[in-house]
Amino acid sequence: VGAVFLKSIFNFFAQDDFIFIDHFSQNNLLVDIKNTFGEPIVTHWRPMHNFYFLLAGNLFGKNFWAYHLLTLSIHIGTSFLIFKMAQKIFQDERLAFFSGLIYGIHPAHFVSIFWIAGNATLIGVFFLVASFYFYLTGKKLPSLASFFLAILASEAMISGIGVYLVWDLVNSKRIRNVPFYLLLGLTAGAVLFVKFVVFSPKEIFNTYQPELSSN
């Protein structure tokens, strides 16, 4: 997996990379923390994605290759988790190996790996896959915590609730662990409330008005 995307390590900063690094790192540490977890100024409220820049920026400065190496390591970690997840589901080492490999080398990850500021989904998927793996192994609290981190990285990870539902319906023909699903829903709802109600300026809703069209 690493060999396929190895060239990403030599890709220089691009576009929003400069803005994110300057905003979330290499300032006073308290300022960096406030910018990471507080009201968004230069980007969306995605604390785990912003935390990537706080951590990497203060550790690596302007060494672009180190950022890419960290991103690639996260991607490899996700591929390994998919291998472990498939191993648990299929009970077949070969099938599990190819499941992780196909995910790992798929070209759909090109942008997330080569563009540092575009890795929010990549980070979110890492925690979402970890969450589902914990769910499969009966570890509900780590699963819930990982899901929380996933949607803090990218709100798109809320779609992961559907993965749990499909798994339960296919395997048990019913929804199990209703309290767990309630906690998932409350967690997702709380994060979305903070993101879209607390930390989204009114101008955004005034600019992007939903409308129905027959065209």
Side-chain angles (χ1 to χ4, degrees):
V1 174
V4 171
F5 293 107
L6 187 62
K7 286 187 177 180
S8 68
I9 296 175
F10 307 103
N11 204 49
F12 193 61
F13 297 119
Q15 299 178 340
D16 296 342
D17 295 346
F18 300 99
I19 298 173
F20 286 11
I21 292 169
D22 288 341
H23 187 67
F24 297 115
S25 70
Q26 303 172 47
N27 304 294
N28 177 283
L29 183 58
L30 291 178
V31 172
D32 289 340
I33 293 173
K34 176 179 177 294
N35 290 342
T36 297
F37 298 101
E39 184 174 1
I41 297 175
V42 302
T43 185
H44 304 284
W45 188 72
R46 292 172 177 164
M48 282 307 298
H49 184 222
N50 301 340
F51 181 74
Y52 167 95
F53 289 95
L54 183 151
L55 180 65
N58 284 306
L59 287 176
F60 308 136
K62 295 298 190 294
N63 295 312
F64 61 89
W65 59 268
Y67 291 80
H68 286 297
L69 188 60
L70 177 58
T71 297
L72 187 56
S73 297
I74 294 171
H75 180 64
I76 293 172
T78 305
S79 301
F80 177 73
L81 285 173
I82 288 177
F83 162 74
K84 296 294 292 183
M85 184 176 66
Q87 193 179 43
K88 183 74 176 176
I89 294 172
F90 302 119
Q91 299 295 313
D92 185 316
E93 290 284 338
R94 182 179 297 180
L95 191 55
F97 172 79
F98 281 108
S99 297
L101 180 64
I102 290 171
Y103 172 85
I105 66 175
H106 200 283
H109 306 300
F110 178 84
V111 173
S112 296
I113 293 175
F114 276 77
W115 180 31
I116 299 169
N119 64 11
T121 302
L122 185 147
I123 296 170
V125 169
F126 172 82
F127 286 110
L128 184 61
V129 173
S131 176
F132 189 62
Y133 176 72
F134 285 131
Y135 182 73
L136 290 176
T137 56
K139 299 175 181 177
K140 301 299 190 300
L141 187 57
S143 177
L144 185 63
S146 297
F147 177 75
F148 177 61
L149 295 176
I151 55 177
L152 285 181
S154 171
E155 61 280 358
M157 296 304 111
I158 192 176
S159 61
I161 295 177
V163 176
Y164 301 96
L165 288 170
V166 170
W167 172 255
D168 280 348
L169 291 174
V170 168
N171 286 274
S172 304
K173 310 302 181 185
R174 63 185 178 86
I175 298 176
R176 302 179 299 168
N177 304 307
V178 174
F180 177 77
Y181 281 102
L182 290 175
L183 287 173
L184 284 180
L186 288 172
T187 300
V191 172
L192 294 180
F193 177 83
V194 172
K195 177 179 177 63
F196 292 111
V197 178
V198 178
F199 283 151
S200 288
K202 293 181 179 179
E203 289 77 8
I204 291 180
F205 297 101
N206 294 333
T207 303
Y208 299 99
Q209 290 288 335
E211 63 179 34
L212 297 176
S213 174
S214 59
N215 296 330

